[in-house]
Amino acid sequence: MEQGNDMKSLSQCRQRTISLQSPLGKIQVSGCENGVHTIQILMDVPPAERSGDTSLSCVVTVSNGQEEMGPELQHCVEWLRAYFSEPWTVGRLPLPVFHHPTLHGDSFTSRVLQTLVRDVKVGETVSYKRLAEMAGNPRAVRAVGGAMRRNPVPLLIPCHRVISSSGQSGMYMGGKGNHLKQWLLTHEMVKEED
């Protein structure tokens, strides 16, 4: 994850928030000229069903104007569009720059989120226990769960790919978004059409 500017500048950011209509419903993306701050999935509608003839897209529905969106928010929108229409392609795309204090520094949460985004690819899952091991502290399974709850940019940092050791999908968005987690995992299993 790119460090960007000093985190002191976070309080001085001129943030913009855009809304996207996605297969999961409305998503709000907040960011500034330095990067993406947060992504919120509002859960205003049930997730879209995928069928062979249905294109899943992501459309900007509210913004301060495309020109004023800024390059990092625009990059995030493009990444999300690719993810929802052709999830297998995002592994080849660079992630937007993150500009949130949770994602910078040397905290265990930051290390877990960095490990997750770097090492767990589209269509893969990892257990909380295995992710703790990968992040350098095999006994910190509960802390990994806490890191997933504090993830400010779900979808970009794929906390939905973290499951229990038993293979159960586990909680998502404090248990309110479990159906979305299942939708995302299923969505990522769709392979490129030949």
Side-chain angles (χ1 to χ4, degrees):
M1 280 183 244
E2 210 166 303
Q3 287 289 327
N5 293 340
D6 183 7
M7 284 293 106
K8 290 180 197 170
S9 67
L10 188 63
S11 62
Q12 300 167 356
C13 290
R14 201 175 95 194
Q15 285 193 52
R16 291 188 174 87
T17 299
I18 59 168
S19 295
L20 305 159
Q21 196 58 45
S22 79
L24 299 179
K26 189 179 282 187
I27 296 175
Q28 288 186 329
V29 181
S30 175
C32 68
E33 64 280 352
N34 296 315
V36 177
H37 290 237
T38 60
I39 293 179
Q40 292 182 305
I41 304 168
L42 300 182
M43 295 194 303
D44 57 339
V45 297
E49 287 191 32
R50 183 174 197 116
S51 68
D53 16 307
T54 306
S55 170
L56 298 178
S57 63
C58 197
V59 178
V60 175
T61 56
V62 179
S63 76
N64 295 337
Q66 289 286 86
E67 316 68 45
E68 297 181 35
M69 194 182 305
E72 289 308 321
L73 282 180
Q74 182 63 43
H75 183 173
C76 184
V77 168
E78 290 167 7
W79 192 96
L80 289 168
R81 283 181 176 149
Y83 176 80
F84 284 115
S85 63
E86 300 175 325
W88 59 89
T89 65
V90 296
R92 298 186 298 261
L93 300 175
L95 283 166
V97 174
F98 304 124
H99 195 236
H100 189 283
T102 300
L103 303 172
H104 300 280
D106 209 19
S107 71
F108 184 69
T109 295
S110 177
R111 197 163 58 245
V112 166
L113 295 173
Q114 290 175 23
T115 300
L116 177 61
V117 75
R118 181 187 64 236
D119 296 340
V120 183
K121 306 302 179 204
V122 171
E124 299 176 353
T125 58
V126 65
S127 71
Y128 292 92
K129 180 180 180 181
R130 179 69 186 121
L131 186 54
E133 292 167 355
M134 292 164 62
N137 191 345
R139 299 178 69 181
V141 176
R142 288 168 95 53
V144 167
M148 296 306 101
R149 285 188 296 280
R150 286 189 292 282
N151 178 4
V153 287
L155 302 176
L156 295 178
I157 297 180
C159 52
H160 61 276
R161 295 183 193 147
V162 183
I163 62 173
S164 69
S165 294
S166 69
Q168 297 291 324
S169 66
M171 303 272 271
Y172 191 63
M173 298 173 64
K176 298 178 290 193
N178 294 353
H179 64 295
L180 299 180
K181 183 173 188 171
Q182 197 55 55
W183 188 95
L184 290 165
L185 292 172
T186 301
H187 175 65
E188 291 185 2
M189 298 309 285
V190 173
K191 299 293 182 207
E192 183 174 4
E193 307 288 324
D194 290 328

